[in-house]
Amino acid sequence: MLQRPKARLFGTGIQSYFTFLRFLMVLNLLTFLLTSSLVLLPLAWLHSPEPGPALNTSYHCPTSREPQPDLSRIHLHLWDVFTGRALSNTYLFYGSYRMGPESDSQYSVRLAYLLSPLTCLLLCFCGTVRRMVKGLLHKRLLSRDYRPRLSSKVFVSWDFCIRSREAATIKQHSISNEFKIELQEEQRTLQMQQQTRKQRARQLLSYVGLNMIIGLLVVGGISAIYWATKFSQNYKDESLSLLLQYMSPGVISLVNNLGPLLFGFLVQLENYPPNTEINLTLFWCVVLKLSSLGMFLFSLRQQAVLCSGRSDHSSCEPHGYNQCDQCWENSVGQELYKLSIFDFFLMLAFAFLITLPRRLLVDHLSGQFWVWLGREEFLVPKNVLDIVAGQTITWMGLFYCPLLPLLTSIFIFFTFYVKKYTLLRNCRPSPRLFQASSATFFFQLVLLLGLLVASVPLLYVISSIPSSVNCGLFSNYSAPWQVVPEAMALRLSPSAQKVFYYFGSNTFWYPILILLSLTLTVCLSQSGANKRAIKGLRRQLLWQVREKWHLVEDLSRLLQESGGSDSWGPESPSSRSSRPRSFCPGFPCPGSPRSRSFMDPGK
Amino acid sequence: MGSSTSHLSKELLTEYQELTFLTKQEILLAHKRFSDLLPQESRNMEDSLRVRVSTEQILTLPELKANPFRERICRVFSTAPERDSLSFEDFLDLFSVFSDAATPEIKSHYAFRIFDFDDDGTLNKEDLKQLVNCLTGEGQDTQLSTTEMKQLIENILEESDIDRDGTINLSEFQHVISRSPDFTSSFKIVL
């Protein structure tokens, strides 16, 4: 179905980007399958009530002022689909799931609804960590001794699949650039080591100062998001104008697009080695992206939580939150849904309204400006961050909008083909190569961070925040997690319950923690011992080779003395002469019959 | 093309499949491509297995045309005394080593031989210099300056030459390659 693009022009790092897209699509489909099989199918099987907001059963609430939306008349107005209003009574959102009391049915839909996001997150965590560990051996954090940087670049970087002259030239340019950058960096490091203490202090100070400025910018961007969300939530129901509905996603995208440009500009003002520049910019971009999503969710929840769970709902009236009519989970779900849609359409807009015209203009117009502008570069880190942000939004919305993974996988499917088209037709390769192995590790790491940013709020909501009284499955509980003790009390025997309580108590986890710390200590000390052993073995190897050549020299000297003819023995490397052809240590000599056994596949 | 040219006999095909890493379809495709390089009169079965194709002709293949190591590849896989022509079996060997199924050990072994420009069994400074020049190309702006080249080669030797004899032998080369997971995917030529 999804083929890897033949993007040899652009390097294996970009191929790993498309592999990563495919991995995420499969992940989302599996999540959707899990949710639907655990929650939707049993709901349909048990002939539960039609999806829709529950009737007013609480005696706190007067009869509602607004008429309930007619279930049979679905709004086909396109606008309502985009804001999620038309779908708010379907299974897409939390609010429309309904179920009788727990004691009625065999199968606890509530338990399934609660546990399926948690299970999905746990499975995604395990899958991502496993993929990360596979690449752990080769990651860049290894010390110099075990990571032959330049040698591996020299021996491995040529891609033998390249067929066109043009691709070969581009590859040669990028390899040459990479060598030059690495050599420059090494010169720079040597220079820095020779600096005086005063210069070093000044360098450090400017580094810290730069980071603080960028940190302040990030904080500023995030507060802008907070205020924008608060503003748009306040006027949420009043008008349907485009600007207000999509204000928060718009501000988030603005911050996330301007931020990296600013960071890159600021970092370039200081004269850092190229690798440091790139790593610093990348680090702050990741921080900005994930914290903007976190702040968005936080401000949404603040609005919602402040107004629900309070007995005097009069204070919420000005904000448009009427406790009896509103379903705050639905509104959070709708916001995340809008953000998802907005991201996808923004990606389409960038691809077709900016990159494509740029390529057309650059190709057909001549002039200094257009030559300087050139086609757009396909920046792998930026694209990966966008995808990971989209996935984080999906994970955040698992509880409020259970069918969001299906939507996300459809979006990723289209994103794959749009990106492939953009890459092959409208972009040029970046002069900086992105190696596949380090790329995979970086993708998995950022994905893991996104998972963390998504899980923490979810766990907090599930365990502590009371749900709305008016909608959804958990309306009668103080927190969604309370379903679990109740379900256990209903369905399990007392002894089984005791076992589960034991697993949740401190007396179980403290010994486990102590055991884990012991294991960690043992592993660390083993790895330290291994490093020392490797050092020792290398020294031994050196001495043995020197001894060997020493013996050979002695031998040739003795033979010379006894034989009297001029020396025919080999010279040791220390005498700097070329080795004669008859001695090829450790290698089948050329001219010897080519043995078939080399081609024997593993016999 | 007569009936004797189109297909290799079954026994021969099975034998080649056992001796190389190629599948039957790949062997047949390689045979077809090899026959296309032969002159018209030698395209029958017996001659195609016997006749040698000169290096210049092999270098016209689109898979090798843009490769800076193409001459070295032809030289390494050639079994002729002058090392300037390839028979069909040499041709099969070439694509077998460069195929997907070949083990990393075989690939690194042959990569070492390809990079060993003076064929003395080790990679000394001259070999490394020529290697880097192949990688960076012929252009003025891409070639490294003398100081950069010297620095680069010293760095390579510092990192890879474990026994400090000034050259990189096969084991040291394979040690470096084993640390790079990208090697098997880049050391590949598919027909």
Side-chain angles (χ1 to χ4, degrees), chain A residues 12 137-138 142 144-165 168-169 171-173 175-176 179-180 182-184 186-187 190 435-438 538 541-542 545-546 549 573 576 579 581 583-588 590-591 594 596-603, chain B residues 18-21 62-63 65-69 73 79 83 89-90 93 96-98 106 109-110 112-113 115 119-123 128 131-132 134-137 141-144 148 151-152 155-156 159-160 162-165 167-168 170 173 176-183 185-191:
Chain A
T12 45
L137 256 186
H138 310 287
L142 284 175
R144 255 200 96 115
D145 285 345
Y146 313 121
R147 184 176 47 89
R149 224 173 52 229
L150 276 174
S151 338
S152 62
K153 281 211 180 103
V154 166
F155 295 139
V156 174
S157 39
W158 186 261
D159 186 1
F160 281 73
C161 299
I162 291 181
R163 291 183 187 207
S164 71
R165 202 44 69 102
T169 320
K171 183 88 184 185
Q172 282 171 336
H173 271 271
I175 290 180
S176 159
F179 286 158
K180 289 190 178 156
E182 284 282 347
L183 292 171
Q184 261 180 25
E186 190 163 331
Q187 290 285 58
L190 281 176
Q435 267 194 315
S437 52
S438 58
R538 282 180 111 128
L541 184 63
L542 216 67
V545 169
R546 279 205 205 129
W549 282 111
R576 293 270 174 254
R579 215 172 285 156
R581 291 188 71 142
F583 273 80
C584 329
F587 188 76
R594 180 175 51 105
R596 274 281 181 199
S597 64
F598 279 134
M599 307 310 295
D600 230 344
K603 271 220 192 106
Chain B
E18 280 183 17
L19 290 171
T20 65
F21 291 105
E63 287 86 0
K65 228 177 11 184
N67 198 322
F69 299 104
I73 292 176
T79 48
R83 313 288 286 276
E89 292 185 347
D90 298 337
D93 263 344
S96 166
V97 166
F98 279 105
I106 285 281
H109 181 97
Y110 275 89
F112 186 77
R113 286 181 67 182
F115 295 154
D119 280 326
D120 65 350
T122 56
L123 301 180
L128 291 174
L131 173 60
V132 172
C134 276
L135 286 177
T136 54
D141 47 347
T142 50
Q143 282 218 334
L144 298 183
E148 284 173 339
Q151 192 189 351
L152 181 62
N155 271 322
I156 296 173
E159 286 170 6
S160 337
I162 304 180
D163 55 10
R164 298 276 176 263
D165 61 353
T167 62
I168 299 178
L170 180 61
F173 182 79
V176 170
I177 294 293
S178 69
R179 298 259 140 203
S180 325
D182 301 323
F183 176 66
S185 51
S186 62
F187 199 73
K188 195 162 58 165
I189 297 180
V190 180
L191 270 176

Side-chain angles (χ1 to χ4, degrees), chain B residues 1 5 35-45 47-48:
Chain B
M1 281 196 288
T5 59
S35 312
D36 288 340
L37 293 172
L38 288 171
Q40 192 64 26
E41 60 273 6
S42 323
R43 281 193 191 170
N44 51 40
M45 183 53 50
D47 279 346
S48 69

